[in-house]
């Protein structure tokens, strides 16, 4: 699976939009981009995933660049409970099906 | 989203004993489950892929005789840490593939914290 690169940490003010970038320059055509987050001492929580179109659900929006080499997860109105480590993962939908976690971005929402 | 449970949530055991951790998919059937472990301030490390009705597939460097995996039904996978030692103390997390929807998603359990004394 393609490797992803994320900033190790970010800060965002409560109520503002949090934009988390992810680079996946070696992504191939049949690989999806997945986002999970892990709040301290809990299991990862699924957020969103996409292939090439932008996606939105009740938690977040996923913006994928046209060349698919990078993406941005957007939390539109961050709250203190959004403080977590966010993982961007690229996975082949037809392959081994496993999710391989990188180091993620530690997002801190400040009051 | 779908729910995956783990039991126990935390366990303390003596060195040399075996510990079994259960992972259940509560509202969907999962032919494939995954086991991860996580050390403090580190990312999740995939240990093995658990396949219902067949042998698990272990990642490189993970001892299959040390970490026994059984996936006997479509809703249950178990991980047994045999002859546990203090270095096995970790946070063990399972995930399950939900293929019932339009697009497949993996959901994670809440984790099991193991402390070996």
């Amino acid at each position: 699976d393609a490797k992803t690169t994320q900033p190790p940490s970010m800060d965002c003010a409560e109520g503002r939009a949090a934009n988390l970038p992810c680079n996946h320059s070696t992504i191939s055509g049949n690989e999806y981009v997945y986002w999970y987050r892990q709040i301290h001492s809990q299991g990862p929580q699924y957020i969103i995933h996409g292939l090439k179109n932008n996606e939105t659900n009740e938690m977040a929006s996923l913006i994928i660049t046209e060349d698919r080499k990078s993406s941005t997860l957007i939390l539109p109105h961050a709250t203190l409970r959004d403080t977590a480590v966010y993982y961007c993962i690229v996975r082949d939908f037809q392959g081994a099906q496993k999710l391989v976690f990188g180091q993620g971005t530690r997002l801190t929402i400040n009051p | 989203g779908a729910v995956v449970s783990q039991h126990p949530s935390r366990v303390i055991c003596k060195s040399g004993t075996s510990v079994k951790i259960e992972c259940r998919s509560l509202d969907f059937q999962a032919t494939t489950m995954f086991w991860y472990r996580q050390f403090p301030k580190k990312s999740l490390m995939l240990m093995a892929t658990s396949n219902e009705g067949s042998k698990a597939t272990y990642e490189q460097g993970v001892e299959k005789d040390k970490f026994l995996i059984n996936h006997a039904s479509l809703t249950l996978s178990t991980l047994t840490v045999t002859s546990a030692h203090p270095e096995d103390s970790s946070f063990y997390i399972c995930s399950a593939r939900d293929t019932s929807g339009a697009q497949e998603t993996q959901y994670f359990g809440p984790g099991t914290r193991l402390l070996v004394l």
Side-chain angles (χ1 to χ4, degrees):
Chain A
D1 290 338
K3 182 178 179 179
T4 61
T5 305
Q6 299 177 253
S9 64
M10 292 182 64
D11 285 81
C12 179
E14 187 179 18
R16 305 296 292 268
N19 297 286
L20 292 94
C22 179
N23 286 321
H24 29 80
S25 58
T26 59
I27 193 171
S28 63
N30 57 345
E31 289 181 316
Y32 281 69
V33 180
Y34 283 77
W35 283 84
Y36 284 79
R37 72 180 182 184
Q38 186 178 27
I39 296 169
H40 183 62
S41 295
Q42 298 181 24
Q45 177 188 23
Y46 167 79
I47 301 174
I48 199 167
H49 74 282
L51 181 62
K52 55 183 179 181
N53 297 322
N54 297 338
E55 302 287 344
T56 295
N57 63 20
E58 64 277 6
M59 289 184 68
S61 295
L62 174 61
I63 308 298
I64 303 174
T65 57
E66 193 167 342
D67 63 7
R68 303 210 321 123
K69 293 185 177 182
S70 66
S71 60
T72 301
L73 179 74
I74 301 173
L75 307 178
H77 305 287
T79 70
L80 298 179
R81 286 179 293 183
D82 292 323
T83 293
V85 178
Y86 287 75
Y87 296 98
C88 168
I89 303 167
V90 171
R91 200 200 76 179
D92 185 348
F93 193 73
Q94 299 297 327
Q97 313 294 343
K98 56 188 179 183
L99 295 172
V100 179
F101 285 75
Q103 296 307 307
T105 295
R106 183 172 297 277
L107 175 67
T108 302
I109 307 300
N110 300 306
Chain B
V3 178
V4 176
S5 71
Q6 281 185 242
H7 178 80
S9 58
R10 58 180 63 232
V11 56
I12 301 173
C13 70
K14 293 182 179 180
S15 186
T17 60
S18 295
V19 175
K20 180 185 284 188
I21 302 169
E22 293 185 348
C23 177
R24 293 182 184 273
S25 54
L26 298 185
D27 49 3
F28 65 97
Q29 294 183 328
T31 56
T32 306
M33 294 184 176
F34 303 88
W35 287 96
Y36 295 79
R37 71 175 170 183
Q38 185 176 33
F39 293 107
K41 297 186 179 180
K42 299 293 185 181
S43 186
L44 283 78
M45 185 192 80
L46 179 65
M47 299 175 66
T49 302
S50 170
N51 302 297
E52 189 269 334
S54 65
K55 291 183 178 180
T57 304
Y58 290 82
E59 295 298 303
Q60 191 172 8
V62 178
E63 301 175 58
K64 62 180 181 180
D65 296 329
K66 171 77 172 175
F67 299 99
L68 300 179
I69 292 173
N70 185 293
H71 194 153
S73 78
L74 289 172
T75 59
L76 173 64
S77 175
T78 61
L79 169 69
T80 301
V81 183
T82 62
S83 188
H85 289 96
E87 58 265 31
D88 297 323
S89 299
S90 189
F91 192 45
Y92 291 86
I93 308 169
C94 72
S95 72
R97 284 178 58 207
D98 181 2
T99 57
S100 61
Q103 291 189 18
E104 170 201 321
T105 307
Q106 278 189 36
Y107 296 99
F108 286 79
T112 296
R113 193 163 298 281
L114 170 64
L115 176 62
V116 184
L117 303 177

